[in-house]
Amino acid sequence: MMAVRLARHLSRNLSSVVKGQLQARCFHVSPLVTAAQKVAMSHLDPGTEMPYDKLQANLAIVKQRLSRPLTLSEKVLYSHLDDPAGQDIVRGESYLKLRPDRVAMQDATAQMAMLQFISSGLPRVAVPSTIHCDHLIQAQIDGPKDLKRAIELNKEVYNFLSTAGAKYGVGFWKPGSGIIHQIILENYAFPGLLMIGTDSHTPNGGGLGGLCIGVGGADAVDVMADIPWELKCPKVIGVKLTGELSGWTSPKDIILKVAGILTVKGGTGAIVEYFGPGVDSISCTGMATICNMGAEIGATTSVFPYNSRMRDYLVATSREDIARLADENASMLTADEGSPYDRLVEINLSELEPHINGPFTPDLAHPVHAVGDTAREKGWPVEVKAGLIGSCTNSSYEDMGRCASIVKQAMSHGLKAKTLFHITPGSEQIRATIERDGIAETLRSFGGTVLANACGPCIGQWDRQDVKKGEKNTIVTSYNRNFTGRNDANPATHAFVTSPELVTAMSLAGRLDFDPRSDTLVGADGKEFKLKDPYAEELPPRGFDPGEDTYQSPPDDSSHVSVDVSPESQRLQLLSPFDKWNGKDLEDMTILIKVKGKCTTDHISAAGPWLKFRGHLDNISNNMFLTAVNAENGEMNQIENKATGEWGPVPATARAYKASGIKWCVIGDDNYGEGSSREHAALEPRHLGGRAIIVKSFARIHETNLKKQGLLPLTFADPADYDKIGSNDKITLLNLAGLSPGKPVECRIKHPDGSTETIFLNHSYNEQQITWFKAGSALNRMKEVAAGQ
């Protein structure tokens, strides 16, 4: 009965969001805090306490041990060590055991994370944790209509997440609340925080001085189960900022520039730490933008030092008591003088030009003045068909206000957008505030559509109708990622990422080659004019309007809450344990597919329409490798069944192998698994019978996800060995009983003519991770430990 009442309560509250009836939400602003008073980590977590005293004590131990200046990243990370006195600490080598302060999960990944937590048998999460409903809302018409439709379509999933949250002590942010990263910034992030989140853009919280790291769901389960979280000790890349931002140059241009320098894999295994006098010219939300998109360079996370801009944001979001504590602990929240970086990048903000990156990859950087010539040379469409602003990367009050300042200039000359123009508010608080202050109406008058407070087109949740699939076209967005087909499932769409200001300007001009600093427009009166520099207040002068109350706090007593998953459900499926390793070598494995070129998690497990199956492993496995390019024929989703000689889709072939007991592996290229944190890209191959993924190099999160699910992630000791393997070869991995840290795996390649050759494969396993492989998965191993095995 409790589950039924919760479902009814959820339904009533979701409906009230759609109606747009603003309910006053009273946030408590703490008075001056005395030493005897405790400050909670969030007003939504009243039983918690800010951890600064404990972190300072841990940091003192580490500083004494290392006897050298520490970077900010090191201070935050090492102060969260489970054993600061005994932990081995070597950048790029040691595996750190850490105690994060909290866990955040978006609804698409939370389904599998909560299903795994349920299967662990534990009664309640051990750290503050939240679920955020932001991924399942498709952009079709406008915010209210799209939200209403999503609630109806996803009722089963939302009810599961709501009741699972209530049962296991997890806070639940309902559909319409906003995007996970903006909600975290507004309510939970603080300087010195260590948080893990089941989304690759979790680093957004670095804009408020925290180390916020994207992980797979299995990592989240570890932390929620009170198991120390393991992370290979990151290197630290320093980015020194001098000068100051001005004119059309925005915080987004900093990360667009950095992406061009470091590329999509240049940050792998490292934290990117910004410092220098230029930092103070960037707003707190601007710093969050930079950290958010740091995921696109493969960085573990990104972070900024605590400063007055962060303090202003904390105060504006009713957290003055936390700001005061941060002031008192500022020495822990900034780098030591002379702290060493593994690599240093310097950027003079006074000289930095506005940038636009793409298409098809977020590290192809162009100064805005040059992109037009490059587009014509490459044959990219110069006409812009759609402009999209907002998303988790760029939807702050400042972002929206600067775009509105451009729009007002245009409309004063009688002009509106020449393209489709969509606006995605990052949160209900942002939506309510820009509605109250007239910004939303200004953007609508320009021809814009305000979408729901959700991820929407950024993750492919866009029912785009203005172009046909396969039609070559260009779109510009203020998003963070622009892989092939990501936004609209059209592989011919050339997507460029840039600042929201440039998106607005290019939507006004209708052209990719428009540089608002030098180019002019023609008003309705036939006269030429030039846009002035955009400007807006960093924070709303009248304060934030919280809008609708969309948060469900877990009850103190959840003993009567039930969480049911129907065996007939097509959206949710309880998990069965993966099989244990049988103790034998993996002999004569068939190669399911040899992937050619870029293979992101989008290629391995597509999003968009497949998001609805994120809680049902068997159903979502039907999207495995749909858009990966087969090196054998240069085609997508067309491979040969080596047992029958028939050609067919990748998932169907994998299922046929599994049914026949044929073990298989995948061969891949560089930076395999870059992009989203989605662990489905590891779960699906494991579920369909995969045993090993052998590539030139891995993206961090995906490599860990593969280990967690019992697959062997291996890299060529010599990357040129990729070319020695043909799609018809058989692969044998030898002496797996002797698998140990730092010891290469011997691999025998058997060619169709019967000849063989031997190569060696590297791995990054430590002793504990090897136990995951032997147990069949990290979750299996957790249960073994609990049973005393």
Side-chain angles (χ1 to χ4, degrees):
M1 287 301 294
M2 182 64 176
V4 173
R5 287 196 297 271
L6 273 167
R8 288 174 179 165
H9 172 75
L10 173 63
S11 179
R12 284 197 302 271
N13 280 278
L14 296 179
S15 297
S16 67
V17 177
V18 178
K19 294 174 185 174
Q21 299 170 343
L22 302 182
Q23 300 174 345
R25 182 163 40 153
C26 298
F27 292 145
H28 174 66
V29 180
S30 299
L32 191 62
V33 182
T34 66
Q37 290 176 304
K38 293 182 179 179
V39 176
M41 290 196 293
S42 168
H43 64 278
L44 299 172
D45 296 322
T48 62
E49 183 177 354
M50 285 292 291
Y52 285 153
D53 287 348
K54 180 180 179 181
L55 300 183
Q56 287 281 23
N58 286 350
L59 184 59
I61 294 170
V62 173
K63 286 180 73 74
Q64 185 176 25
R65 287 181 57 201
L66 298 183
S67 298
R68 64 168 174 80
L70 297 181
T71 66
L72 167 61
S73 307
E74 291 179 304
K75 288 183 178 182
V76 178
L77 203 61
Y78 302 163
S79 66
H80 285 85
L81 286 169
D82 183 53
D83 179 14
Q87 171 71 60
D88 183 39
I89 303 173
V90 180
R91 285 188 196 170
E93 296 182 18
S94 307
Y95 277 90
L96 306 179
K97 292 187 181 297
L98 301 158
R99 291 288 184 178
D101 298 304
R102 69 178 311 114
V103 173
M105 299 170 280
Q106 42 96 335
D107 51 354
T109 51
Q111 295 171 63
M112 197 58 67
M114 292 308 296
L115 286 166
Q116 290 180 83
F117 186 81
I118 290 169
S119 69
S120 76
L122 296 170
R124 199 171 177 89
V125 298
V127 300
S129 304
T130 48
I131 294 168
H132 303 259
C133 295
D134 59 4
H135 269 57
L136 301 180
I137 303 169
Q138 186 184 54
Q140 270 193 342
I141 304 169
D142 62 21
K145 292 184 178 69
D146 293 343
L147 179 57
K148 181 178 180 180
R149 178 173 177 269
I151 290 168
E152 293 170 352
L153 286 175
N154 302 302
K155 182 178 179 181
E156 180 185 11
V157 171
Y158 292 149
N159 183 63
F160 166 73
L161 293 174
S162 171
T163 54
K167 180 69 174 178
Y168 297 103
V170 179
F172 178 70
W173 287 87
K174 303 164 193 170
S177 303
I179 305 173
I180 177 173
H181 312 304
Q182 185 64 29
I183 297 292
I184 293 297
L185 198 71
E186 294 171 355
N187 297 277
Y188 299 112
F190 60 80
L193 168 75
L194 178 61
M195 183 187 84
I196 63 167
T198 61
D199 189 279
S200 58
H201 295 109
T202 298
N204 191 81
L208 204 41
L211 287 187
C212 302
I213 301 174
V215 299
D219 277 354
V221 172
D222 279 355
V223 176
M224 293 190 292
D226 202 28
I227 296 172
W229 175 59
E230 190 176 72
L231 176 72
K232 192 168 189 179
C233 189
K235 296 183 178 182
V236 185
I237 297 173
V239 179
K240 183 178 182 180
L241 303 179
T242 59
E244 60 181 30
L245 293 175
S246 63
W248 283 87
T249 306
S250 74
K252 186 66 164 284
D253 296 305
I254 298 172
I255 184 57
L256 295 173
K257 177 69 173 180
V258 169
I261 295 170
L262 295 181
T263 77
V264 291
K265 64 178 183 177
T268 303
I271 294 174
V272 177
E273 181 174 316
Y274 295 85
F275 69 100
V279 167
D280 290 334
S281 73
I282 309 169
S283 65
C284 176
T285 52
M287 295 184 229
T289 291
I290 295 164
C291 293
N292 178 296
M293 196 176 161
E296 307 317 315
I297 57 174
T300 300
T301 192
S302 302
V303 70
F304 278 84
Y306 178 62
N307 66 2
S308 63
R309 309 297 283 269
M310 295 184 190
R311 190 184 205 289
D312 291 345
Y313 186 79
L314 285 169
V315 172
T317 50
S318 303
R319 292 177 285 175
E320 189 170 0
D321 49 356
I322 293 179
R324 185 193 62 79
L325 286 178
D327 291 342
E328 294 173 359
N329 290 274
S331 64
M332 184 176 66
L333 307 174
T334 55
D336 290 332
E337 186 72 29
S339 55
Y341 295 99
D342 295 285
R343 179 175 178 179
L344 185 63
V345 175
E346 297 191 41
I347 299 175
N348 185 337
L349 302 184
S350 299
E351 299 174 355
L352 180 64
E353 285 190 70
H355 272 63
I356 181 168
N357 289 22
F360 307 125
T361 185
D363 60 346
L364 186 56
H366 318 273
V368 68
H369 79 268
V371 70
D373 289 340
T374 303
R376 282 182 282 272
E377 177 188 335
K378 301 289 186 180
W380 304 333
V382 175
E383 179 190 6
V384 174
K385 289 286 189 180
L388 303 99
I389 63 171
S391 85
C392 66
T393 318
N394 273 114
S395 62
S396 68
Y397 184 84
E398 181 182 32
D399 289 330
M400 298 292 106
R402 283 170 65 91
C403 292
S405 76
I406 299 166
V407 166
K408 287 177 181 177
Q409 293 181 60
M411 292 197 300
S412 71
H413 291 273
L415 300 184
K416 293 186 177 183
K418 289 184 177 179
T419 70
L420 281 179
F421 189 63
H422 290 324
I423 304 102
T424 304
S427 70
E428 169 61 8
Q429 180 165 277
I430 291 295
R431 183 208 64 79
T433 305
I434 65 173
E435 287 284 4
R436 181 200 66 194
D437 292 354
I439 293 173
E441 186 53 38
T442 296
L443 297 175
R444 287 193 193 95
S445 299
F446 183 59
T449 300
V450 178
L451 302 174
N453 312 324
C455 301
C458 184
I459 60 163
Q461 285 283 40
W462 184 16
D463 184 19
R464 189 180 182 192
Q465 299 294 328
D466 64 300
V467 299
K468 295 178 180 179
K469 191 168 184 178
E471 181 181 340
K472 197 173 179 182
N473 74 102
T474 285
I475 66 173
V476 290
T477 81
S478 68
Y479 303 160
N480 43 40
R481 194 168 281 163
N482 59 346
F483 300 144
T484 302
R486 176 174 174 86
N487 302 125
D488 61 1
N490 180 4
T493 292
H494 293 56
F496 293 82
V497 290
T498 186
S499 67
E501 297 93 329
L502 279 184
V503 171
T504 305
M506 289 179 176
S507 298
L508 172 61
R511 296 186 62 80
L512 187 67
D513 57 358
F514 179 69
D515 183 349
R517 299 171 304 164
S518 56
D519 296 341
T520 58
L521 297 161
V522 178
D525 58 2
K527 296 180 180 178
E528 288 191 357
F529 72 97
K530 185 179 171 186
L531 292 170
K532 297 177 182 177
D533 294 345
Y535 172 78
E537 295 286 349
E538 174 182 345
L539 297 164
R542 296 164 59 191
F544 284 108
D545 182 338
E548 183 78 24
D549 186 355
T550 54
Y551 178 68
Q552 173 188 291
S553 180
D556 293 332
D557 180 8
S558 61
S559 58
H560 295 95
V561 180
S562 62
V563 183
D564 297 318
V565 176
S566 169
E568 285 75 42
S569 174
Q570 295 301 302
R571 299 290 301 272
L572 298 164
Q573 181 186 47
L574 292 175
L575 298 174
S576 299
F578 290 131
D579 61 315
K580 293 182 63 172
W581 175 56
N582 63 9
K584 300 179 180 179
D585 290 341
L586 293 170
E587 296 185 358
D588 290 333
M589 287 186 291
T590 294
I591 296 170
L592 176 71
I593 182 171
K594 181 180 179 182
V595 179
K596 179 182 179 181
K598 186 184 283 283
C599 189
T600 71
T601 50
D602 282 56
H603 293 86
I604 306 167
S605 176
W610 291 95
L611 285 167
K612 61 178 175 286
F613 295 125
R614 284 286 181 87
H616 197 294
L617 180 55
D618 194 56
N619 280 346
I620 200 169
S621 293
N622 289 322
N623 78 353
M624 188 180 73
F625 290 111
L626 291 188
T627 57
V629 175
N630 182 7
E632 189 171 8
N633 57 8
E635 297 183 16
M636 294 186 290
N637 199 31
Q638 194 64 210
I639 62 172
E640 183 186 16
N641 183 321
K642 304 305 179 183
T644 67
E646 297 176 355
W647 289 78
V650 181
T653 305
R655 287 186 186 277
Y657 287 159
K658 181 180 180 181
S660 300
I662 298 173
K663 294 180 175 62
W664 55 263
C665 63
V666 170
I667 308 299
D669 215 314
D670 259 323
N671 209 29
Y672 180 94
E674 71 172 280
S676 166
S677 69
R678 68 192 66 154
E679 65 180 339
H680 298 78
L683 283 162
E684 292 173 31
R686 183 72 164 98
H687 175 63
L688 294 186
R691 297 293 171 177
I693 310 293
I694 304 169
V695 302
K696 292 181 181 178
S697 64
F698 284 103
R700 175 190 65 86
I701 299 176
H702 187 62
E703 181 181 23
T704 300
N705 286 344
L706 291 169
K707 291 179 182 177
K708 288 276 187 177
Q709 302 308 332
L711 279 156
L712 281 169
L714 305 169
T715 57
F716 295 106
D718 181 356
D721 287 343
Y722 169 90
D723 296 316
K724 293 181 179 179
I725 298 176
S727 296
N728 292 302
D729 291 342
K730 299 290 186 181
I731 301 295
T732 296
L733 301 179
L734 298 165
N735 194 27
L736 292 181
L739 184 65
S740 59
K743 180 182 177 182
V745 172
E746 186 177 350
C747 173
R748 185 177 65 223
I749 307 167
K750 182 190 293 184
H751 301 300
D753 63 4
S755 64
T756 64
E757 55 185 313
T758 298
I759 63 172
F760 287 91
L761 306 172
N762 294 330
H763 64 84
S764 60
Y765 278 99
N766 61 25
E767 292 288 359
Q768 175 177 294
Q769 293 169 348
I770 291 171
T771 68
W772 301 344
F773 165 68
K774 292 180 177 180
S777 72
L779 190 58
N780 287 359
R781 181 57 187 157
M782 183 194 301
K783 292 177 181 178
E784 288 179 351
V785 172
Q789 298 178 28

